[in-house]
Amino acid sequence: MVHLFISFLSQQLRTKLTYDSQGNVDWNVVGNCLTSRIIEEASQVKLEDGKLQLEEGSEWKYSFKENNVFVLEKKQRDTPLKGFMGCGVIGLPVNEIAKVLDDFGTVFLWDKFTMDAKYIRVISESETHKDFIAYRCFVATRCFFKVTRDACYYARSKFLDDGRYVLTSMSVADPKCPPVPGLTRMKIFSGTGWLLEPYEGSRDQTMVTYMGHSDLVGFPPIVINLGMKRFPMNIYLLRRFLEHSTSNSRQRLSSEGTTLGVNQEQGPCSSGDDETSLKDGAYEDPIPLCSFTATDASLL
């Protein structure tokens, strides 16, 4: 019932960030809401004995299967841009995979869509979560078609009490992450992120779910949908990287990645460090973000 209520709210309300008494964004509320959305959407899809099962009444539709990754799509309200979901199993514990998703130092080694990535600032951090602003530059190719876009986004990385892990994100404007001359800034909408959970009760197998809903900006919706449909295949790329590396080698590669361009202030898609007067806040989101109060943290 909780998830149904969250879903109802998210379809009824426009995106409105919650502000505290000092006029600052209440990122805890935003993070709770984004996390709830990922959990609610992922709960509609299950993998049992390697077979895909959809919850009755779910609006997610099967699209294709490739390299043991199931890809689904969903028509969104008030926008022709579709949401996409990928589901697959990786033979490692949740915490091992989460370390890689949290590590910008190795992202280039498995995510072929990312050209540049770095933390802009950490908002809050504890043993179980991190709220932060980050920058990424993406490149997508299909046949003779190539597009480069960048994004400034808020993200929450969080381990849940039941052993699951969630990484969720949404575009924001931040004065330390201004637009880059010559690059078009894409929009990452709520409902974008990762969910890791033990697969069929095993600690050594993880059900990995990726969800993506973004606007590449500057292209017709049909072109954007074709490009975004491939993003869930990051599950396969992540699995391949993990299967061909060890925990120690990944730690070494992460350190080397930082010296080879990852997280550097200037790079092929660097956002630089020029201050601007951009207001700290989110883009208008065609998939409405639920508006919670601080007490709703108990839902997670």
Side-chain angles (χ1 to χ4, degrees), residues 93-299:
V94 168
N95 64 320
E96 283 293 311
I97 303 173
K99 288 178 184 177
V100 175
L101 290 180
D102 279 341
D103 186 4
F104 281 9
T106 56
V107 64
F108 295 94
L109 300 177
W110 62 269
D111 184 354
K112 69 177 183 179
F113 301 108
T114 296
M115 291 178 60
D116 194 14
K118 64 181 179 181
Y119 289 109
I120 298 300
R121 61 187 175 94
V122 175
I123 299 169
S124 64
E125 187 173 11
S126 71
E127 293 183 356
T128 60
H129 94 284
K130 177 189 286 185
D131 286 6
F132 58 94
I133 304 296
Y135 172 85
R136 281 206 191 191
C137 181
F138 302 89
V139 60
T141 58
R142 192 173 181 87
C143 299
F144 298 104
F145 173 75
K146 179 178 180 179
V147 57
T148 303
R149 294 288 185 266
D150 72 346
C152 177
Y153 60 96
Y154 159 81
R156 165 168 286 189
S157 166
K158 182 178 178 67
F159 283 94
L160 306 181
D161 292 338
D162 59 7
R164 292 181 294 175
Y165 166 88
V166 181
L167 175 62
T168 184
S169 58
M170 181 181 71
S171 281
V172 296
D174 189 277
K176 294 186 179 296
C177 188
V180 179
L183 279 178
T184 299
R185 183 145 292 186
M186 65 183 287
K187 299 178 181 179
I188 301 172
F189 300 128
S190 60
T192 296
W194 297 78
L195 176 65
L196 309 179
E197 51 191 326
Y199 178 60
E200 296 185 341
S202 172
R203 292 185 177 181
D204 298 323
Q205 298 238 51
T206 299
M207 163 80 166
V208 180
T209 302
Y210 170 85
M211 279 170 273
H213 183 218
S214 301
D215 184 356
L216 297 178
V217 180
F219 294 96
I222 188 172
V223 175
I224 295 175
N225 288 333
L226 283 173
M228 291 302 302
K229 181 179 287 191
R230 300 300 303 176
F231 273 69
M233 291 309 299
N234 262 334
I235 295 175
Y236 164 68
L237 299 176
L238 177 61
R239 181 202 301 141
R240 186 174 63 177
F241 171 66
L242 289 165
E243 288 177 347
H244 292 83
S245 64
T246 64
S247 179
N248 288 337
S249 67
R250 289 193 290 273
Q251 185 175 4
R252 175 179 54 80
L253 290 168
S254 176
S255 299
E256 292 177 353
T258 302
T259 64
L260 292 173
V262 186
N263 297 330
Q264 288 186 354
E265 287 301 317
Q266 301 298 328
C269 302
S270 175
S271 63
D273 54 3
D274 295 332
E275 296 290 337
T276 71
S277 58
L278 290 174
K279 180 174 176 55
D280 186 19
Y283 286 110
E284 182 74 2
D285 191 337
I287 302 304
L289 177 69
C290 46
S291 180
F292 282 148
T293 63
T295 57
D296 292 303
S298 60
L299 296 177

Side-chain angles (χ1 to χ4, degrees), residues 21-36:
S21 58
Q22 283 75 44
N24 300 314
V25 176
D26 191 334
W27 293 112
N28 187 52
V29 173
V30 175
N32 286 342
C33 186
L34 293 177
T35 299
S36 294

